[in-house]
Amino acid sequence: MRAVLLLIAGVLVAATAALAARELSRVGIHQGYAPAQPIAFSHALHAGDSNIPCLYCHSGARTSRHAGIPPLNVCMNCHAILAKQTVEIEKLKEAVQRNQPIAWTKVHNLPDFVYFNHSQHVGAGVACESCHGAVKTMQRIRQDAPLTMGWCLDCHRTRPPELRLTTAAAQTVGGAHAQRPGLDCGNCHY
């Protein structure tokens, strides 16, 4: 009987340790994070129904490490001429009249010790959906992917043609032992 109780206690301790380890491995992962924003902006309406390309609003992603939040005048390129008015559009127009930026809540956050460059990924032809998910269907933007180091490395290891080309170029310059682009620790950590 004592052996059975010790076995049950051992199984419970092991299960609790495994559950705790799993939860600790998710610390800092904000997958599913979808904060309320000061203006209820619908990516489903803009990127989905209206088919506005990501880079029209987030033009910084072409040339900068940050995709950026569009300035209000980009929103007003369309909203200044649209007849339809809503409470949310009125909030936008009030902010423009007061020359006051919208205090958006950042959704996709990486630790301070991680360097990520949007322009490198956009330039390599990586689709925004690869990291940000099906934004065209999101009423409220959310962090779709875990954005962990393992998740990024899996993508860099399996990414078809664009990384194969840069890998071949790196090996030509650096020989057979050259680091594969995107797998060198110093590319993302400094």
Side-chain angles (χ1 to χ4, degrees):
M1 180 68 172
R2 184 175 182 179
V4 172
L5 288 175
L6 285 174
L7 179 63
I8 292 172
V11 168
L12 287 174
V13 167
T16 303
L19 182 60
R22 182 186 180 283
E23 291 305 311
L24 284 173
S25 73
R26 307 248 341 135
V27 169
I29 298 172
H30 305 290
Q31 191 173 14
Y33 178 57
Q37 298 289 354
I39 294 178
F41 180 87
S42 170
H43 277 82
L45 173 66
H46 292 82
D49 297 345
S50 299
N51 207 28
I52 299 171
C54 301
L55 294 173
Y56 177 76
C57 298
H58 302 284
S59 59
R62 285 188 191 101
T63 58
S64 171
R65 91 179 259 199
H66 302 289
I69 301 294
L72 297 180
N73 65 336
V74 171
C75 304
M76 292 307 293
N77 285 342
C78 297
H79 285 287
I81 59 172
L82 292 178
K84 182 177 180 178
Q85 296 303 311
T86 66
V87 171
E88 302 305 309
I89 293 171
E90 287 304 316
K91 290 179 189 177
L92 169 70
K93 289 183 174 184
E94 285 176 30
V96 169
Q97 288 172 349
R98 287 183 278 153
N99 198 24
Q100 182 180 19
I102 306 295
W104 300 104
T105 301
K106 189 173 181 182
V107 176
H108 298 85
N109 296 295
L110 294 175
D112 290 341
F113 57 83
V114 176
Y115 176 82
F116 176 84
N117 190 319
H118 274 89
S119 67
Q120 290 173 335
H121 290 80
V122 170
V126 177
C128 302
E129 296 83 7
S130 298
C131 301
H132 295 286
V135 170
K136 291 180 178 186
T137 65
M138 295 181 193
Q139 286 298 322
R140 181 188 290 184
I141 199 75
R142 71 179 175 281
Q143 182 178 320
D144 195 58
L147 304 182
T148 61
M149 185 171 99
W151 180 82
C152 293
L153 288 174
D154 285 346
C155 183
H156 279 241
R157 286 184 185 114
T158 60
R159 193 90 196 155
E162 60 270 50
L163 281 183
R164 283 194 204 120
L165 295 173
T166 54
T167 298
Q171 289 176 343
T172 301
V173 174
H177 300 290
Q179 280 283 349
R180 197 173 161 189
L183 296 181
D184 182 4
C185 300
N187 287 345
C188 301
H189 299 286
Y190 51 104

